[in-house]
Amino acid sequence: MSSSNVTAVSAFVEGAPPGELADVIAASDSDIKALTVDEPKILQSVGPTFEKYNEEQLTAVKLPGGSQNVLISSHNSLGDGKYYDVESQSSFNFDHATQKASSVQSYTHDTQHTDLIKSLLKSFSNHAHEHFPSSTYGVYSTNDGALAILLVANKYSPSNFWNGRWRSTYLYDPTTASLTGTIKVDVHYYEDGNVRLTTNKPLTLSIPSSSPSASEIVKQIAAAEKKYQEELNKGFAALSEGAFKGLRRQLPVTRQKVEWEKISSYRLGQDIGGGRSR
C-alpha cells in the first residue's frame, strides 16, 4: 500500500471542516475516492487518523436509546475504541469512521474526585445551557490526577453553505487549584468559494481560593469565555471596517457613484470608463 496515498488520505481527514467529515469521505467527486480506486482498503489503514480527529474535535454522539449526546475525547477513552460517560454512567464502543456508537453497558469510573466531578457537571451544565444552546459537555478524571472539563458547541447550516464549531478544553488540578485551558473556534463558509476561520486561544485562569467550589471554577471559565467572545466580535468588526474594505474599490475609477436606475442606458466604454466612444 502506497505510503504517499495513506498520507494524502490522512490529510483529507485531519482537515475536514466541522460537520463535514462524512462529506469529505463520501462525496462522489472526492479525491479520496480517486486515491482508493486501486487500494479500496486504504481507509482502513488510516483508522488512527479518524480516532485522532474525533478525539481532538470532541465529536458528539448520541448513544443508542439515549436522549442526549456524549463526548468522544482522549480523556474519557478506555482504549480499543471504547469510551465512557459520567452522567449516563455507561461505557460504549465508537466507530471512528462512521461516527456511530454501539454496545452500551453500565459503567462507573472510579476516581477520588467523584463528588467534585458531579458538582462540576451540575455547574458547567448551567453555564453550557445558558451560553451554548446546542452543546455537549463532560468532566473526566485524567491519568495524572487532574480533571478535564470539556465543551463542544456545533452549529451547522449546510443549506446556507456554512458550519461552525466552538471547543473549550480545561484542565483543573485539585492539588494546586490551577486551571488552564484552550478555546478553539472553527468556521467554514463555502458558498461560491472556500473561506475558513480557525482560532486557538490558550488560557491560564486565576482562582482566588486554594480550595474552590465547582461554581467558583465555572465562574472563572464563564468570564474567560465571555471575554474571548467579545474579542472575536471586535476582531470581526475591525476586519469589516478595515481589511475587507481594502480588498475592493469603493468607487469606480471615475470616482463617481453608479446611478443604478440608469444602468441600462450607460455606454460601457464612454459613460462608465470615462473614455470617448469610437
Side-chain angles (χ1 to χ4, degrees):
M1 184 173 294
S2 171
S3 60
S4 61
N5 282 356
V6 172
T7 301
V9 173
S10 296
F12 276 114
V13 173
E14 291 175 357
E20 298 174 44
L21 179 61
D23 296 331
V24 168
I25 298 171
S28 59
D29 59 344
S30 170
D31 289 337
I32 287 182
K33 283 199 169 184
L35 289 171
T36 58
V37 169
D38 298 325
E39 299 174 288
K41 295 184 178 181
I42 195 171
L43 287 178
Q44 299 177 15
S45 67
V46 295
T49 303
F50 282 109
E51 179 178 347
K52 179 183 177 183
Y53 177 87
N54 287 313
E55 290 186 348
E56 289 185 350
Q57 294 296 319
L58 302 181
T59 296
V61 61
K62 185 172 292 186
L63 300 182
S67 59
Q68 295 182 338
N69 286 337
V70 299
L71 287 178
I72 300 298
S73 79
S74 60
H75 300 293
N76 62 323
S77 173
L78 296 173
D80 296 326
K82 196 168 186 175
Y83 297 83
Y84 74 93
D85 177 60
V86 175
E87 284 196 298
S88 64
Q89 295 186 328
S90 60
S91 66
F92 56 94
N93 292 338
F94 183 75
D95 187 318
H96 287 282
T98 63
Q99 296 186 318
K100 300 293 184 182
S102 62
S103 303
V104 180
Q105 297 178 346
S106 177
Y107 178 84
T108 301
H109 193 69
D110 293 329
T111 172
Q112 61 178 325
H113 302 300
T114 298
D115 291 339
L116 179 55
I117 288 175
K118 290 181 178 179
S119 297
L120 280 169
L121 279 170
K122 183 177 180 180
S123 296
F124 202 53
S125 171
N126 295 332
H127 165 70
H129 291 151
E130 180 179 357
H131 299 285
F132 302 93
S134 177
S135 63
T136 305
Y137 56 88
V139 180
Y140 312 100
S141 60
T142 65
N143 294 330
D144 58 1
L147 300 181
I149 306 170
L150 313 177
L151 178 144
V152 61
N154 300 309
K155 195 163 186 179
Y156 305 146
S157 186
S159 60
N160 292 310
F161 306 100
W162 64 264
N163 296 305
R165 174 173 294 148
W166 170 292
R167 285 173 288 160
S168 299
T169 301
Y170 303 96
L171 290 176
Y172 172 70
D173 188 342
T175 60
T176 61
S178 63
L179 181 62
T180 59
T182 58
I183 299 174
K184 296 181 179 181
V185 176
D186 190 345
V187 180
H188 183 216
Y189 181 76
Y190 50 98
E191 181 178 19
D192 296 328
N194 192 22
V195 179
R196 191 169 180 181
L197 165 74
T198 58
T199 71
N200 187 342
K201 176 71 172 181
L203 298 168
T204 299
L205 306 181
S206 299
I207 299 181
S209 172
S210 60
S211 183
S213 65
S215 59
E216 288 176 314
I217 296 171
V218 174
K219 182 179 180 180
Q220 295 301 317
I221 290 174
E225 293 186 343
K226 179 182 178 181
K227 181 180 179 181
Y228 187 53
Q229 287 179 341
E230 292 172 347
E231 290 176 359
L232 286 176
N233 290 338
K234 290 180 181 178
F236 293 147
L239 281 174
S240 178
E241 295 300 320
F244 285 164
K245 281 190 176 181
L247 295 175
R248 62 181 181 180
R249 191 191 304 272
Q250 295 187 9
L251 290 173
V253 292
T254 60
R255 307 300 296 172
Q256 296 178 349
K257 292 184 178 180
V258 174
E259 297 182 57
W260 293 104
E261 67 276 6
K262 298 180 181 180
I263 193 67
S264 61
S265 63
Y266 278 137
R267 288 169 293 178
L268 185 61
Q270 182 176 359
D271 295 341
I272 295 182
R276 293 181 299 176
S277 60
R278 296 181 181 179

